Amino acid sequence: MPDEQMANSGGQAPSGGHPPADDAPPVPPARPLDTIDRSILRMLQTDGRASIRSVADRVHVSRANAYARINRLLDDGVIRGFSALVDQERAGQGASAYITLKIVQNSWRTVRKQLTTLPGATHIALVSGDFDVLLLVHTKDNRELRELVLTRIQSIPEVLSTRTLLVFEETDLGPEGD
């Protein structure tokens, strides 16, 4: 990658996009973002491979300033990493589902750790309401989805019940709904 592009664009921030481990040092409070920081974030959400030069030009700052701001956003954990948007169906993952889970009280960390190892799991959230966890998965087909739910997820001792919601169509939204 040219040195004009971000040094960290191929990897994850130190946290790897996951919440800090229980024994990790506390995360410092986030610094307030100004309009230039927000513009940089919108631009990188649209094109994570944008060069420092193009970021600097679009937000009207020097390359050194853009580089420093991006590194600060990475260091502060505002930017957790860079990734590609994947068309799951074209990638051979024709079945998608949101799976809701009710779990044993105070078992979130244990359950989260097990869910992160599931093939095709792309998003895990602890939520409020009628269920405790919302999990997004992509699998090759419904048979593989069935196997994932019945064999892998329901065998986790702390999972009390699941409900599977098949996704018929998805639309990725751009930064701030663009």
Side-chain angles (χ1 to χ4, degrees):
M1 222 178 232
D3 58 358
E4 290 250 325
Q5 290 187 304
M6 286 156 273
N8 293 327
S9 67
Q12 294 282 327
S15 69
H18 298 290
D22 292 335
D23 58 348
V27 176
R31 290 180 252 192
L33 302 179
D34 63 16
T35 55
I36 294 172
D37 291 332
R38 292 188 191 288
S39 294
I40 290 171
L41 289 174
R42 275 192 302 278
M43 186 175 176
L44 293 176
Q45 284 176 302
T46 302
D47 180 8
R49 298 185 334 161
S51 69
I52 295 290
R53 178 184 302 223
S54 66
V55 170
D57 289 347
R58 297 255 317 263
V59 299
H60 309 292
V61 297
S62 70
R63 283 183 279 175
N65 187 309
Y67 185 81
R69 284 174 176 268
I70 291 167
N71 280 335
R72 180 179 49 81
L73 291 167
L74 283 162
D75 292 344
D76 287 354
V78 175
I79 297 175
R80 295 182 305 180
F82 299 88
S83 61
L85 295 175
V86 177
D87 182 317
Q88 296 294 336
E89 195 166 349
R90 291 184 63 87
Q93 303 295 307
S96 297
Y98 285 96
I99 303 168
T100 65
L101 293 81
K102 288 186 182 181
I103 61 174
V104 172
Q105 190 171 359
N106 296 322
S107 65
W108 163 241
R109 286 183 180 90
T110 303
V111 172
R112 178 183 60 199
K113 186 176 181 181
Q114 293 177 40
L115 294 176
T116 60
T117 67
L118 294 176
T122 59
H123 184 83
I124 304 167
L126 178 66
V127 297
S128 65
D130 293 338
F131 48 89
D132 305 306
V133 177
L134 183 63
L135 171 67
L136 175 60
V137 298
H138 302 283
T139 61
K140 183 176 86 176
D141 53 28
N142 283 343
R143 176 172 286 173
E144 195 173 286
L145 175 61
R146 177 183 178 277
E147 194 66 24
L148 181 71
V149 173
L150 296 180
T151 305
R152 300 285 302 274
I153 296 172
Q154 290 183 353
S155 70
I156 298 171
E158 296 83 2
V159 172
L160 301 173
S161 66
T162 64
R163 176 180 280 168
T164 303
L165 307 166
L166 292 178
V167 174
F168 296 126
E169 188 174 318
E170 295 180 83
T171 301
D172 289 323
L173 301 178
E176 300 195 19
D178 291 346

